[in-house]
Every structure is written in C-alpha cells, then in structure tokens.
Amino acid sequence: MTEAREELPGGSPEPYDRPDHEAHGAHDAHDRPDHEACEPYDRPDRQPHELRSHQWYGTEGLRTFSHRARTRQLGYLPQEHLGKPVIAILNTWSDINPCHVHLRDRAQAVKRGVWQAGGFPLEFPVSTLSETFQKPTPMLYRNLLAMETEELLRSYPVDGAVLMGGCDKTTPALLMGAASVDLPTVFVPAGPMLPGHWRGETLGSGTDMWKYWDERRAGTIGDCEMAELENGLARSPGHCMTMGTASTLTAAAETLGVTVPGASSVPAVDSGHDRMAAASGLRIVELVRKDLRLSRLLTREAYEDAVAAVLALGGSTNAVIHLIAMAGRSGVRLTLDDFDRIARTVPVLANLRPGGKYLMEDFHFAGGMPGFLSRLADVLHLDRPTVSHATLREQLDGALVHDADVIRERERPLAAEGGVAVLRGNLCPDGAVIKHVAMEERFLEHTGPAVVFDDYRTMQRTIDDPELGITADHVLVLRGAGPKGGPGMPEYGMLPIPKYLLEQGVRDMVRISDARMSGTSYGACVLHVAPESHVGGPLALVRTGDTITLDVAARSLHLHVEDEELERRRAAWTPPPARYERGYGALYMEQISQADTGCDFEFLARPGTTPEPYAG
C-alpha cells in the first residue's frame, strides 16, 4: 500500500461526518438573474415566514386551515413542523430494484438527520428505474422520472429536497427534475454492491457477466459453472461495483457538488452509508436556511469538472448523454465537442473495471472521489461552491490517496487521454462515441467490410449463422436501436461476437450502432451514432459489404461510399412506421431529441419559466 498527497492550498477535506458545518469563501454567482451574487454560507438564515412552505402552513385562510388540519390527520403535532424547513425525500426504492432495495432503510437515516437539524422530513415514493428488469429500457423512462421529480417538488409544500437514487437512469433523472425546480437539494447515492466472488476470483457485476457469457458460448464453461456464477455475481444491495454507468453518474454528482464529500463510493451495505445518509439530512436543512439553491451549484464550471472527472475515471459512455441533458436543464450548453476537448487534457487515473483492475470498494478505501479529484486539481474549477463547503478547493484540501495503484498518479496513468473519444465523419455527422480504454488496441485504427443488421432481434437470431461469413475483420453494424428506433436507445451496442469466432479465441471486434451499451461493457464498440437510422441518418444507408474505417486517433468514422450512391440510397429509403400510437410512448416519440443533444424532451429542455403554484 502506498500513500500520496496532492499539494493544495488550504485545510482538510473532512469526510461526510464532519461535525462543523460552517464554510466560508468566494465563488462566482450563477448567471440566473433571480439569485444574488453573495457568499453562499455567509447570508443570514431565512426566517420561518420566508420559507416556501409558509404559503401552505403559515398564512390565514380556509386553505391554510385545511393544510394544517390534514397534517394533524397524519399524526403530526404543530410544533413538529410549523415554521420549520420542510424537506422532501424522493425515494426510488422498490422491491424489484436490487440497486435500491436498501433505500427504504436509508430514508430513515436521512429523516434522522433532518429531525436533528430542526427540519421536517416527508418521504415521497417516486418511479424506480431498474436497469435489470425494466423493458424495453429504463432510458425510455428517464424523462418520465425527471417530470415526476419536477412536478412533485413544485406542487407540494417543500423547501428543499433529498434525492435518493443510483441505478443508472435515476441519478440524471432526479437531478434533471430538481434542476428545473431549483430548490436547495442534496443527492444521496445508493452506493455500490459488494464485490462478487466465484472459485477464488473476484467478480465485477456486468463486466464479468459479459465475459463469462461469452465463455459459455465459446464452450469453455458449462451450466454448473454458470449456476455458481449466478449466485456469486451480485451479493448484496447496491448498484454495479464496476465503473459502469451507475458509479460514473454518482461520481459525477459528487463532482458537481450536490453530495456530501465521499458519498458516491460508500458501499451500499457499509455502516458508513447510514452515516452518509444522516449527514445528508443534516446538510439539507442548513442549505434551506441559507437558501443555497441548486442553480448556485450547477454552473458551467461544475459541469466541465464533472466531464473531466468522468473521462479521468474511464467512465461510462452513457454519461455523455446524461450530462448533456442535465446541463441543459441547468441552462448550460454542453456539447460533444466539450467532451472531446476536455478528454485531451486529462489522463485516465482510475484503475477500475471494465478498463482496469479494481472495483468500487477498492476505490472507496483508496481515497474515493476526494482523493481522486485531488489528482486533477490543476484542471478543476476550485472556487465554486458545493453543498458542504464554500469552495471545492476547501473540500479537497488535504485529500489523501491511500493506494496509488487504484488511483494512479499523473505520471503513471492508465491512459494518456480521457477514456471516451468523440468521433465524426460521414457515418456520424452529429457525432458518435467510443470507450477506447476498454477495447483491444489493434482496433484503434481499423478498416473492414460491414455486416448490417436492421434490428436487434434479427441480429440475435442470425449472428451465429456461418452462412453470413463473418470474420474477425468484419465490422458489425446494428441500426434501428437509437432514441426513436430502439425505442428508448437500449443497451444493445455491445453486439455479440459470433459463436464460431469465440471458439477460435476472438474476443473483440469493431461494432457500430445508434444504440448505447452498458457502462460495465467493453470492446471496440462505436455508440450513439447521430442522427440515428430511424430518422434517416447515414446509418440507415449502409449495406452489407460496404467498407468502413474507424480511426480513434483521428476521431474519425468513415463510410467508403460515394456521395452520389448515398443520395440514390437515400431517395429509395422509406421511414419506418411509428413505434407508438398512443400513451407515454407517443409523447416520447414526438418529443425525444437525438443522442448528441442529451435525449431530453423538447418541451422540458426549452428555456422558459413555470409559475409557482398558488397555495391559498
């Protein structure tokens, strides 16, 4: 074990159970006009009549009488809530969401903290988006949870919010909705599950599932081994313990400054997770009293730092879509070009699966995000506020790294540049992404003939057919899997390698799609091709046998077909029928944007104001 310390001016980055909640320092004000440009923690506490909930409880009239009477019906005494900050706890707990199955208990710890700080907690059940079980994909419903979050916080008598999530889509959904309301907010990550185990080997959920499923298809292991793996892969509540989408997004939330320090890596079943939840309850009451709203935290500088952290973590490609959408809700225009620009300034320092060796529990005890961010201090905006400190600089002061193999030094990175590259070319005029730190190096520059699949079901049915003549040099192309075509842009992007090639030892191929892939996945997979084939993007025009060149260093994806031929194919192309004729699906198809702009709904992403409800 080694210890390293980054030189930062200032004091200590105290952990989340820090007893002192005072913080001082300067920061730039957010550019929204309705917030003062003053110190976030130096302002005086708000008086009870200045709280938002006062409209419901503290005025005169029939409606106020009714609100108080119904609160008595709930069993609460006047002195338990009147004049106190009302805190909404939005809980994505569900019996069928293994990532969140412990959040029912953690909500009690949050309430404990709120009560201790003099607030009044109210728990709200909200949609659970289970990456494992929800079909066709929870990405279809991310914006639905964002809508639910926004409207719950706006329509009820609450002064601040604690958001409880962690499974892939819940983190961005909750923060998107909360950003649109702009109340004081703290995010409580669900935390990673314990490491998996099988026959003396440490397993990473997702990553080793893909690995051993391929081994089963290759014939190297059988049903007995798979039954053992089934019992050993996921051993506790919590989200995936690799640097998949869940860990990537909760790490981004911590970098944005909306969690207490160190929160994103605390294992879900560790007693420290209870303490972190209670600390979050304590903290939100202070934020309400100081009126430190989410817009003061979610600035352009904060989003650029989150992008830098995601890239240096070797994080999930899904973070590209989610951070663009989250930034849009905060009034910040974040683009693929920002990701590519920042990727060239940061190395990959987290030695975590699927691109590295370790798991999230190792990362937590190696220093977590405070230690990790201290390695990136020179590229971060250190003078912005967080929920716990007046500046990120203060939050990181004295942060330690306890294992320099898990969290690498700048002189010894896993990769010289950030883990995700943005590609451009005639096949993806609006961009595509590839996680090049999790692929075989020989495919960083590759030219090969395409084998095209029009939909995922056809691909599943035919991929192992030797009559297709697929070799390791072919480029597998899947279309009809984007935001509209999927529908919902499912995680189909890690296309399976034909069984007969697996039997020959092939474990990677170039694969291209307008789909996403799990953050726990790996391989030479080009994803998020935009515009998607369903709306007539160039991917719709590719034919089996066309030659495609991938050049990661040049950030290029090129289809070797003459423009005139592409125009002839376009003229013959027929748009596919609508996926939905009614219901939420029809709304989704009407409003969803493309991957390069975050897959938000147009009517939610557009600028504008929404009036506060009249409570009298």
Side-chain angles (χ1 to χ4, degrees):
M1 301 286 281
T2 59
E3 179 176 277
R5 177 174 177 143
E6 296 297 317
E7 291 300 320
L8 286 170
S12 168
E14 303 292 343
Y16 48 76
D17 56 353
R18 175 184 182 183
D20 171 28
H21 291 295
E22 296 300 317
H24 303 280
H27 69 283
D28 294 329
H30 193 275
D31 57 7
R32 294 190 183 185
D34 56 333
H35 295 297
E36 301 175 70
C38 63
E39 307 296 347
Y41 297 112
D42 283 351
R43 65 177 68 184
D45 286 0
R46 287 195 288 173
Q47 297 302 305
H49 70 274
E50 297 176 299
L51 296 174
R52 184 175 179 271
S53 57
H54 180 77
Q55 301 173 61
W56 277 262
Y57 286 121
T59 61
E60 293 296 328
L62 173 63
R63 295 296 177 189
T64 299
F65 172 78
S66 173
H67 300 152
R68 291 200 295 252
R70 292 300 186 174
T71 305
R72 302 299 159 267
Q73 181 186 8
L74 291 169
Y76 294 111
L77 295 166
Q79 56 266 39
E80 290 186 84
H81 73 96
L82 289 179
K84 295 182 178 182
V86 179
I87 307 302
I89 302 171
L90 271 57
N91 194 348
T92 53
W93 169 87
S94 168
D95 271 335
I96 200 169
N97 191 335
C99 305
H100 296 176
V101 72
H102 59 303
L103 291 186
R104 173 183 269 180
D105 294 333
R106 293 299 176 274
Q108 301 309 308
V110 175
K111 291 178 184 178
R112 190 174 80 229
V114 172
W115 286 119
Q116 285 277 57
F120 178 62
L122 294 171
E123 186 177 357
F124 292 74
V126 293
S127 300
T128 190
L129 305 182
S130 172
E131 197 64 36
T132 303
F133 292 104
Q134 194 167 27
K135 306 301 180 192
T137 168
M139 184 63 178
L140 187 68
Y141 302 104
R142 183 200 68 180
N143 297 342
L144 183 63
L145 175 55
M147 291 169 63
E148 182 181 17
T149 299
E150 177 176 351
E151 298 308 324
L152 275 177
L153 294 180
R154 180 175 287 114
S155 60
Y156 278 95
V158 299
D159 303 300
V162 174
L163 312 175
M164 305 188 70
C167 193
D168 297 14
K169 312 306 177 293
T170 57
T171 299
L174 291 166
L175 287 170
M176 287 164 66
S180 295
V181 181
D182 195 26
L183 295 177
T185 302
V186 174
F187 185 78
V188 173
M193 69 178 85
L194 294 177
H197 286 283
W198 175 67
R199 296 189 178 185
E201 182 177 345
T202 300
L203 302 176
S205 60
T207 301
D208 282 307
M209 177 185 75
W210 311 116
K211 172 184 172 181
Y212 285 108
W213 188 256
D214 277 352
E215 295 303 323
R216 182 181 184 276
R217 292 178 64 229
T220 61
I221 61 175
D223 291 343
C224 291
E225 291 86 351
M226 292 304 292
E228 293 176 13
L229 284 161
E230 186 176 306
N231 290 324
L233 191 63
R235 298 173 45 241
S236 78
H239 60 66
C240 292
M241 72 304 240
T242 55
M243 187 46 68
T245 304
S247 294
T248 301
L249 267 297
T250 54
E254 182 170 340
T255 306
L256 287 169
V258 297
T259 77
V260 294
S264 64
S265 61
V266 186
V269 295
D270 194 297
S271 63
H273 202 268
D274 247 350
R275 297 193 299 273
M276 178 271 292
S280 300
L282 284 164
R283 198 68 198 140
I284 186 58
V285 177
E286 176 71 3
L287 297 181
V288 169
R289 286 181 173 139
K290 299 298 184 184
D291 197 24
L292 183 58
R293 302 192 181 207
L294 206 50
S295 59
R296 297 294 304 279
L297 308 179
L298 298 182
T299 61
R300 164 160 287 279
E301 291 77 13
Y303 280 108
E304 289 187 349
D305 288 352
V307 171
V310 164
L311 294 167
L313 286 164
S316 168
T317 51
N318 290 311
V320 178
I321 293 175
H322 296 313
L323 282 172
I324 288 174
M326 291 161 62
R329 294 296 190 94
S330 302
V332 174
R333 185 172 182 270
L334 195 65
T335 69
L336 290 178
D337 290 336
D338 291 316
F339 279 84
D340 200 51
R341 169 179 56 84
I342 295 171
R344 298 174 190 272
T345 69
V346 295
V348 178
L349 300 179
N351 189 6
L352 299 172
R353 300 184 199 181
K357 174 182 178 183
Y358 296 101
L359 297 173
M360 286 304 298
E361 187 172 19
D362 305 307
F363 180 79
H364 179 66
F365 292 111
M369 285 305 290
F372 180 79
L373 292 176
S374 74
R375 301 282 210 212
L376 299 173
D378 61 308
V379 302
L380 301 177
H381 299 88
L382 297 174
D383 294 321
R384 58 183 178 84
T386 71
V387 295
S388 295
H389 294 83
T391 66
L392 179 63
R393 184 188 309 278
E394 180 184 331
Q395 184 162 307
L396 298 183
D397 281 351
L400 296 176
V401 174
H402 306 295
D403 190 331
D405 192 43
V406 178
I407 301 175
R408 295 289 186 89
E409 297 167 341
R410 294 288 284 271
E411 298 75 24
R412 199 169 61 93
L414 254 68
E417 290 188 352
V420 175
V422 176
L423 306 174
R424 302 281 184 178
N426 68 344
L427 195 51
C428 54
D430 292 339
V433 300
I434 187 168
K435 189 173 181 178
H436 56 91
V437 295
M439 59 183 281
E440 292 185 10
E441 289 188 10
R442 64 194 178 99
F443 292 119
L444 290 172
E445 184 176 357
H446 179 78
T447 298
V451 177
V452 181
F453 300 95
D454 286 322
D455 62 82
Y456 190 69
R457 292 184 186 183
T458 300
M459 183 276 300
Q460 283 183 305
R461 188 175 66 251
T462 61
I463 188 68
D464 293 330
D465 186 354
E467 294 297 318
L468 293 179
I470 299 173
T471 71
D473 292 328
H474 274 86
V475 176
L476 303 180
V477 175
L478 173 67
R479 58 190 175 210
K484 291 190 175 184
M489 207 177 178
E491 294 182 341
Y492 293 163
M494 188 183 173
L495 278 68
I497 294 170
K499 181 178 179 180
Y500 56 86
L501 291 181
L502 290 171
E503 292 170 346
Q504 297 169 24
V506 175
R507 292 297 182 270
D508 201 2
M509 292 179 66
V510 175
R511 289 156 276 183
I512 300 172
S513 75
D514 46 14
R516 299 176 301 110
M517 77 174 185
S518 168
T520 65
S521 300
Y522 50 86
C525 302
V526 177
L527 309 159
H528 311 180
V529 170
E532 64 173 310
S533 61
H534 192 87
V535 299
L539 201 65
L541 310 179
V542 183
R543 294 180 180 175
T544 295
D546 290 347
T547 300
I548 297 174
T549 293
L550 166 66
D551 189 337
V552 174
R555 301 297 199 262
S556 174
L557 184 67
H558 187 75
L559 174 65
H560 296 278
V561 176
E562 295 296 330
D563 291 344
E564 294 80 5
E565 172 61 19
L566 289 178
E567 286 306 314
R568 283 192 290 271
R569 294 181 187 181
R570 182 174 299 283
W573 179 76
T574 301
R579 291 287 189 182
Y580 296 95
E581 294 183 352
R582 61 161 304 281
Y584 172 76
L587 172 68
Y588 174 93
M589 296 295 286
E590 174 188 305
Q591 290 287 326
I592 196 69
S593 69
Q594 289 292 294
D596 61 302
T597 55
C599 295
D600 202 357
F601 286 168
E602 191 280 330
F603 76 93
L604 295 174
R606 70 171 67 136
T609 60
T610 303
E612 278 279 301
Y614 177 60

